[in-house]
Structure formats: structure tokens, C-alpha cells
Amino acid sequence: VQLQASGGGLVQAGDSLRLSCAASGLTFSVYNMAWFRQAPGKEREFVTTISRGSSTLYSDSVKGRFTVSRDNAKKAVYLQMNSLKPEDTAVYYCAADTAFTTKAGSYTYWGQGTQVTVSS
């Protein structure tokens, strides 16, 4: 199983970015997908998850600014990030599991991460 995250970069506060995560080696349509992030010196934190049926959950810190979506035909999950803030700076990871959960420890498969840096 491989999860390949991409789309990170350096942006200014208020800008937008779209992250992508391409999956291979798994039956994508039966997996719930999630995005987590980890800032330097901090624990990995939940950002959002989308179920195989496209139900979604968001952390309070990103609700209303970030939107998760999936394309089962392309085996991909996306994270549209708008109105970015400096506190959104982190490495963003996509994850997959058959459980629909916000807990990082429950996810079986992880991507390698993509850096998002938001300057003020």
C-alpha cells in the first residue's frame, strides 16, 4: 500500500492550497481517508476525515476553511485549504483505515507527508 501526498508549499496568510493524496495497493473505495498534520515540536493532530460514503468530520481549527473530498475512480483524496493561517504550518499526512475515526493511532496506512508553510 502506498499513499503519496503532494501539493504542499510556501504561501502567505490568506492564500489557498490544495493537497492531494494518491493511493495504490488497496481497494480505495472501502477505506476511510483522513488528513493529519504535525507542526515542529507538537504531536500529530487530526485535521479531517472522509468516510467511504463521503461523510466528513473536521477539527474545530479548520472547520469552515478546509474541505476534504475524494475521487474513488482516481483513488485520491484532496484537501482544499482556504484562508490559511501561520498556525496551519505543518507537515500534512494522509492516512487510510477501515475505521471512521479521528484518532491517529487507529490508522493503518500513512503517506510520507507534504510540508505546508504559511508566512504572516
Side-chain angles (χ1 to χ4, degrees):
V1 174
Q2 278 196 319
L3 301 177
Q4 183 73 36
S6 61
L10 172 62
V11 296
Q12 293 188 330
D15 286 351
S16 298
L17 271 179
R18 187 188 191 219
L19 305 184
S20 300
C21 175
S24 60
L26 76 170
T27 306
F28 183 78
S29 61
V30 305
Y31 278 82
N32 304 297
M33 303 297 296
W35 290 94
F36 289 81
R37 66 186 182 186
Q38 188 166 18
K42 295 188 176 181
E43 292 187 354
R44 192 167 297 191
E45 67 168 345
F46 168 76
V47 176
T48 182
T49 183
I50 183 166
S51 74
R52 48 183 175 262
S54 295
S55 296
T56 58
L57 292 172
Y58 295 92
S59 69
D60 288 344
S61 61
V62 308
K63 198 174 295 181
R65 299 188 297 122
F66 290 11
T67 303
V68 63
S69 61
R70 65 188 293 159
D71 186 331
N72 287 343
K74 294 183 178 179
K75 295 186 178 181
V77 61
Y78 307 100
L79 183 63
Q80 178 66 43
M81 304 186 295
N82 299 330
S83 303
L84 282 161
K85 304 175 181 180
E87 51 263 44
D88 294 319
T89 295
V91 177
Y92 283 70
Y93 299 89
C94 59
D97 199 81
T98 54
F100 185 54
T101 176
T102 64
K103 300 186 186 301
S106 297
Y107 281 82
T108 302
Y109 302 114
W110 289 86
Q112 85 291 357
T114 185
Q115 177 71 47
V116 172
T117 303
V118 184
S119 64
S120 57

